[in-house]
Amino acid sequence: MRVTLAQISPRLSRKNLDDIVSIIEDIKADSDLIVFPELSLSGYMLQDKLEEDAWDIDELDTLKSLSKDINIVVGGALRDDNNFRNGALYYSDGKLISIHNKVYLPNYGMFEEARYFKAGKIFESFMLKDKRISMVVCEDLWHKDVHHDLIEQNPDMIIALVASPARGFNDNSLEIQDKWYKIIKEVASECKAKLIFVNRVGFEDGLGFWGGSCIVDENGDIKHQLVNFDKDIKTFNI
């Protein structure tokens, strides 16, 4: 399976959709699945722009059409009646296969997600061509009960959409990156599943995002890894 990690730098703009469509068009002939970061359709620090920039699902039908050629996983701020969700969407074969609404919305320090979004309630997996797939969004993976849910679901692949700001700079490493890699290695090993981790890069309102997107195998080993801090789009056979 050819998997593309799209480590991009979304803007606080609905024009992200045009950028995403362009990237998909460029790589769809050479990849089976492309994964974008958390809120890649919207940008992260939406705050009062959420009402204006959130997406209705039917506004994303161009992704549905493109998924006839390549599976697409993308994150966005979604309208849900009178609420807003931080969602991960999986498109395949011209259909929206699954939506995972982020369950754990951080609301501490630099994070204010719970102020703007409504939390999801469940973690679900789905079958696609004899493979069971689970999706999570960022903070979800920092909670042990989610690890237990994933173990019970017994997925073949876990897809994590992330928007993690850089913090904890050391001489030879980044503290937040070390913590994230420990978590995703543990989850992949516990579940005996491949784990696709896609984190964004770029700056928004003083926050810098570190990237480092990677693919972890069933033994908890990082097999493929992108650079830190720079936009990077690469395809790997897994």
Side-chain angles (χ1 to χ4, degrees):
M1 184 182 191
R2 300 167 299 173
V3 176
T4 301
L5 309 183
Q7 181 173 290
I8 62 171
S9 176
R11 298 164 289 167
L12 289 169
S13 170
R14 287 169 66 93
K15 292 182 180 179
N16 290 313
L17 177 59
D18 296 333
D19 297 336
I20 286 169
V21 167
S22 178
I23 292 168
I24 295 169
E25 291 280 12
D26 286 344
I27 62 92
K28 66 183 182 181
D30 301 307
S31 181
D32 302 302
L33 166 66
I34 184 167
V35 182
F36 292 88
E38 177 184 11
L39 292 171
S40 46
L41 286 164
S42 312
Y44 185 74
M45 298 291 287
L46 284 159
Q47 299 179 326
D48 295 334
K49 281 177 61 67
L50 183 58
E51 175 75 35
E52 177 184 349
D53 284 3
W55 296 92
D56 292 315
I57 290 295
D58 58 7
E59 294 182 283
L60 302 173
D61 279 353
T62 184
L63 298 178
K64 189 185 295 185
S65 179
L66 284 167
S67 75
K68 295 174 183 177
D69 300 314
I70 180 174
N71 287 8
I72 301 164
V73 179
V74 66
L78 308 174
R79 293 185 185 277
D80 182 9
D81 294 326
N82 295 320
N83 300 305
F84 300 101
R85 306 282 192 174
N86 181 342
L89 303 95
Y90 196 111
Y91 291 92
S92 179
D93 290 331
K95 295 174 285 189
L96 175 57
I97 301 296
S98 183
I99 302 175
H100 169 66
N101 293 316
K102 187 174 183 178
V103 173
Y104 287 100
L105 299 170
N107 207 44
Y108 52 84
M110 65 186 75
F111 303 107
E112 295 183 317
E113 288 184 39
R115 179 178 172 186
Y116 298 99
F117 292 105
K118 184 175 178 63
K121 294 182 179 179
I122 57 174
F123 292 90
E124 292 182 314
S125 59
F126 56 94
M127 294 295 298
L128 196 64
K129 297 180 180 177
D130 299 323
K131 298 291 184 184
R132 182 168 293 280
I133 299 171
S134 295
M135 296 192 296
V136 292
V137 179
C138 206
E139 178 88 7
D140 289 340
L141 270 187
W142 285 67
H143 296 263
K144 282 291 185 181
D145 61 315
V146 177
H147 298 196
H148 297 149
D149 285 344
L150 290 170
I151 291 168
E152 288 183 4
Q153 290 174 15
N154 193 30
D156 299 291
M157 180 184 294
I158 300 165
I159 302 174
L161 286 67
V162 177
S164 174
R167 50 208 191 274
F169 289 87
N170 299 315
D171 289 340
N172 299 313
S173 66
L174 189 62
E175 184 178 324
I176 188 62
Q177 183 174 16
D178 293 341
K179 289 179 178 179
W180 259 114
Y181 282 4
K182 180 179 179 182
I183 289 170
I184 60 178
K185 289 177 179 180
E186 179 181 295
V187 170
S189 178
E190 287 173 341
C191 296
K192 298 300 179 189
K194 291 182 172 65
L195 191 150
I196 299 170
F197 170 90
V198 180
N199 184 26
R200 64 161 291 178
V201 292
F203 289 86
E204 278 185 24
D205 290 350
L207 291 183
F209 299 86
W210 55 272
S213 304
C214 62
I215 298 174
V216 186
D217 71 10
E218 298 90 340
N219 298 314
D221 297 320
I222 294 178
K223 306 303 289 186
H224 307 286
Q225 183 177 341
L226 303 188
V227 298
N228 283 12
F229 300 112
D230 292 329
K231 178 179 175 180
D232 202 5
I233 300 171
K234 285 190 172 70
T235 302
F236 303 99
N237 281 302
I238 66 170

